[in-house]
Amino acid sequence: AQVTLAGHAVLGGPFLGPGTLQATRIFHTGQPQLAPVPPLSEYGGKVHLGLIPEEFFQFLYPKTGVTGPCVLGTGLILYCLSKEIYVITPETFSTISVVGASVAEFIDKLNEQKIAQLEEVKQASIKQIQDVVELEKSQQALTQKCHYLFDVQRNNTAMALEVTYQEQLHKVYKEVKNRLDYHISVQDMIHMINWVEKNVVQSISAQQEKETIAKCIADLKLLSKKAQAQPVM
Amino acid sequence: MDVKLGELSSWILTRDFTPKGITGAFQRGYNRYYNKYINVRKGSIAGVNMVLAAYVLFSYCLSYKELKHERRRKYH
């Protein structure tokens, strides 16, 4: 819609002073698209590796799938490097060290974790082996002290031997003494018999002797008669 | 994109190539990028990073002529 604007409204119509302005302006009409301004979106457009927006990946998805952009990127990089469209200068190394610093930090952290794990395992195994070594040493020390045991055993056996030897010696002594006592007692007996005989003989007077002899002769005669009688029967 | 490749030439002819039109195009492009990647609540570094990468690429192209002499091999 067009609106005519008179800058200086004067009573009457035809007089137009210097300040009048006649212009046709087109104002914004119709439904304005962003009447209530929408709130700020939460996240920006998705970007891969901080460089390549997601739309590129979606663009390639129907033809090449998910790995398409990766292969394309790799191929392009290799092409640029091999054809030396991108020339490797000292500047490359400085940029790599700037970017690489953070990457290196991250990788160093991962590495350190792995190393710490391995270190733990190593320490555990070292400790185990040390324990075993100590056990061995203690056992060796024990074997060093075994000689006490052997000494005691030796003493015991020596004592036992001594005891048996003494016992046997004592037995021998007793046996010998027995025999000797026997001999002595026999001799004593002989002496005693002689002595008894002597006394008895002394005690027997002459007269008694004659009587006894006569009686003995009579007995003998009887006996001889009996003896003679028997063999004939 | 909303323009098909076959219709590209006819679409270009309909564009406004006056200075006003060109500035308008740049303005629109800038606004589009700005509202998509920078004017958000949780923006990432990608918004600035893409601009910097584009600048790096552009300056590399400009200085390629001198860099050509630092190549390791002459024939590839």
Side-chain angles (χ1 to χ4, degrees), chain A residues 162-178:
Chain A
E162 276 284 332
V163 163
T164 44
Y165 172 69
Q166 293 289 347
E167 270 180 13
Q168 283 172 352
L169 204 64
H170 183 68
K171 225 198 287 191
V172 161
Y173 165 76
K174 255 193 358 194
E175 286 291 314
V176 165
K177 189 156 175 290
N178 219 4

Side-chain angles (χ1 to χ4, degrees), chain A residues 40 42 53 55 84-85 87, chain B residues 36-37 39 42 60 64 76:
Chain A
L40 276 182
E42 188 78 14
E55 279 79 12
E84 282 209 295
I85 293 172
V87 180
Chain B
K36 180 146 188 208
Y37 290 108
N39 197 14
K42 293 218 177 98
Y60 186 82
Y64 185 66
H76 296 96

Side-chain angles (χ1 to χ4, degrees), chain A residues 168-210:
Chain A
Q168 283 172 352
L169 204 64
H170 183 68
K171 225 198 287 191
V172 161
Y173 165 76
K174 255 193 358 194
E175 286 291 314
V176 165
K177 189 156 175 290
N178 219 4
R179 296 294 166 82
L180 290 176
D181 279 345
Y182 171 71
H183 282 299
I184 290 173
S185 68
V186 158
Q187 283 190 352
D188 278 350
M189 200 170 63
I190 291 172
H191 278 239
M192 205 152 40
I193 288 171
N194 287 344
W195 184 76
V196 164
E197 230 185 310
K198 207 164 55 171
N199 279 354
V200 165
V201 162
Q202 278 178 354
S203 73
I204 298 175
S205 62
Q207 191 196 2
Q208 272 179 337
E209 207 177 331
K210 274 184 191 169

Side-chain angles (χ1 to χ4, degrees), chain B residues 22-72:
Chain B
I22 289 172
T23 46
F26 275 112
Q27 188 77 17
R28 279 199 307 274
Y30 171 76
N31 277 343
R32 211 166 128 195
Y33 183 83
Y34 180 77
N35 284 328
K36 180 146 188 208
Y37 290 108
I38 301 180
N39 197 14
V40 290
R41 255 178 251 193
K42 293 218 177 98
S44 63
I45 201 178
V48 177
N49 210 4
M50 281 195 279
V51 176
L52 289 176
Y55 168 72
V56 163
L57 220 58
F58 182 64
S59 71
Y60 186 82
C61 292
L62 285 182
S63 51
Y64 185 66
K65 207 156 180 207
E66 285 92 37
L67 276 174
K68 250 185 6 179
H69 301 301
E70 291 187 32
R71 286 195 287 193
R72 284 170 168 260

